[in-house]
Amino acid sequence: MRRILGGSVQIDGPRGHQRMSSTLEASLCEEHADQAAFLWLLRDRAARSAAYDLDDLAGLDDRLEAHLDGLRLAGDAGWEACRALLERAEGGEVFGAAVVAVHRWDLRGLARVLDVGGGAPDVSRGIASALGWTSLERVRRLLPGLVSGRCPPALQWLGIAACAAHGEDPGAPLGYALLARDERLRARALRAAGQLGRVDLLPDVRASLRAGDEACRFWAAWAAALLGESASAPVLWELANGGGPFAAESASMAMRRMDPAVASTWLRALTRSARDPRAPVAAAWALGDPAGVPWLLEVAGDPALSRLAGHAIALITGLDLAAEQLARRAPSGLRAGPTDDPEDGVVAMDPDEDLAFPDVAGVAAWWRRRAAEYRPGTRYLLGRAMTREGLEQALREGNQIARGAAAVELSLRERGRAVFEVRGPGFAQQEALGQRG
């Protein structure tokens, strides 16, 4: 029944309530979809941030999961809200849409997500994240089709990334992908071979150590180092010195593979020859030798490297800058990362955005008081010697950077052991760690 009040038309009766209910449901689903996309962006950065530990990440992921649950429970309305966001698709939007499509087993909807984001490297990370977020039992039905050699390389990339996220060995298709002409797919396959501990694939990994593509060369060296191949060392040295995008990670892995005495000599050479000044700092904390702290204190005097050097000292010693009141404000005039100026040509994010500026004089005084507690030549992570017990503790209690280091170190100590995935859903990581005892 229609009735007019103050010039407006109101609708009574079942149809009116149905329309109101439908409008409210659509509005709620839009909110869930928007929030899921936003929270994915937050957690994507948080998973690689020293500002988060596992409990922090799990708390953020619980919030994200609540919005995803709202979309799943809403059925068609939830999917429609996700599909609408694909018009402006970025990583967070395709993440939510892929999670909902796989949950509904909506293959047409998933195909739409893949059409939108499967071929764009930055966006496809959101799809890979969705496949890693969704339970293996549900995703497993998709994996054979995605990793098949009959699929386009972009879809094979997604399938291998999803397998690696779940610790699921794709079997023979991984070996075929190591020989792919598509360099992005080959680089991802090389990384997965290391992550999954596929020692049997070492000959194919070794063959890519001199690949023309830098990403393939790095991931081949990274995987080979994990799989126990000594020939990885010169490649890592070359990349660490070269100043490219993999310099710091190459320096870190090289340190982890060397005897501490040899590594210290190598590190001193790197401080003189590296084109990227961040690479020696990354190498110093990966080595974890407290003998390097005085040099890091010197580096911390450079405003551009101060946060990274302070963070390196904290990773070695376990120093909590905030708790010890040794963090300070940013130096005046320091500029890092993009600004609001449309004429500004700097677009890269500040890599140290989440790190505190150390009070260098205060940290130096702290070190003078505490240096005797650390044994030069022994490797430390968060103030604990890198024994298996110390690394397991860092994996459970450390920040995300320390946890990633601990996961790699544990894998290095047992050839063929898969690397624990520290960037997966927090609640899934907590369950997996609980099962480890």
Side-chain angles (χ1 to χ4, degrees), residues 22-393:
S22 177
T23 301
L24 178 60
E25 183 180 34
S27 178
L28 287 173
C29 287
E30 289 173 9
E31 178 69 13
H32 281 314
D34 280 331
Q35 286 298 308
F38 172 69
L39 288 171
W40 181 83
L41 290 174
L42 289 184
R43 74 93 49 200
D44 184 51
R45 184 171 180 86
R48 295 169 286 162
S49 171
Y52 283 75
D53 61 17
L54 179 54
D55 287 342
D56 297 327
L57 184 65
L60 181 56
D61 285 349
D62 285 344
R63 291 170 57 198
L64 173 54
E65 178 64 13
H67 288 290
L68 293 172
D69 223 19
L71 292 167
R72 296 186 192 104
L73 292 172
D76 291 344
W79 165 247
E80 286 302 315
C82 291
R83 187 181 64 80
L85 290 186
L86 292 177
E87 300 301 322
R88 62 170 200 267
E90 295 183 5
E93 285 77 15
V94 298
F95 168 81
V99 167
V100 172
V102 174
H103 175 79
R104 289 160 51 87
W105 200 245
D106 179 354
L107 297 184
R108 182 174 297 179
L110 183 58
R112 167 66 176 155
V113 176
L114 294 173
D115 285 343
V116 168
D122 289 343
V123 181
S124 63
R125 288 181 54 254
I127 304 176
S129 179
L131 296 175
W133 185 278
T134 306
S135 69
L136 179 58
E137 290 71 25
R138 188 172 292 272
V139 170
R140 191 175 269 138
R141 297 168 63 187
L142 290 170
L143 294 178
L146 288 175
V147 300
S148 168
R150 294 187 296 272
C151 279
L155 296 188
Q156 293 181 63
W157 184 96
L158 285 171
I160 289 173
C163 285
H166 284 288
E168 179 85 346
D169 191 340
L174 181 58
Y176 298 140
L178 290 175
L179 307 175
R181 292 184 179 180
D182 185 272
E183 291 171 338
R184 181 169 178 258
L185 172 59
R186 186 150 53 101
R188 190 63 189 87
L190 288 162
R191 180 181 177 184
Q195 288 175 300
L196 297 170
R198 287 288 301 271
V199 178
D200 61 305
L201 294 176
L202 186 53
D204 291 326
V205 171
R206 192 185 295 119
S208 289
L209 286 173
R210 289 298 170 187
D213 178 70
E214 188 172 3
C216 287
R217 198 160 65 250
F218 165 70
W219 287 115
W222 184 88
L226 276 172
L227 300 175
E229 174 56 61
S230 60
S232 63
V235 181
L236 292 170
W237 165 262
E238 178 184 313
L239 290 166
N241 273 286
F246 302 104
E249 289 184 84
S250 297
S252 297
M253 182 57 89
M255 289 289 99
R256 294 187 172 109
R257 286 295 303 166
M258 292 184 184
D259 176 86
V262 175
S264 295
T265 302
W266 188 88
L267 178 57
R268 285 193 292 273
L270 185 66
T271 61
R272 296 188 296 269
S273 62
R275 295 182 184 178
D276 181 358
R278 300 176 66 86
V281 179
W285 79 255
L287 178 59
D289 188 340
V293 171
W295 175 76
L296 288 170
L297 284 167
E298 292 179 17
V299 176
D302 178 351
L305 295 172
S306 185
R307 287 173 292 174
L308 184 65
H311 178 52
I313 293 170
L315 284 166
I316 296 171
T317 66
L319 168 63
D320 186 330
L321 292 173
E324 296 287 340
Q325 298 184 336
L326 292 175
R328 67 182 182 93
R329 293 182 179 180
S332 60
L334 179 70
R335 176 188 165 196
T339 68
D340 295 329
D341 183 356
E343 302 298 323
D344 190 351
V346 177
V347 296
M349 295 299 294
D350 177 6
D352 301 329
E353 182 181 5
D354 297 332
L355 304 179
F357 281 91
D359 173 354
V360 180
V363 174
W366 178 90
W367 179 244
R368 286 193 294 272
R369 296 192 302 270
R370 303 289 295 274
E373 300 173 16
Y374 301 85
R375 183 181 302 172
T378 298
R379 300 181 65 208
Y380 290 85
L381 179 61
L382 297 180
R384 292 182 287 266
M386 288 194 204
T387 61
R388 184 174 298 277
E389 293 74 20
L391 291 169
E392 284 284 353
Q393 190 172 355

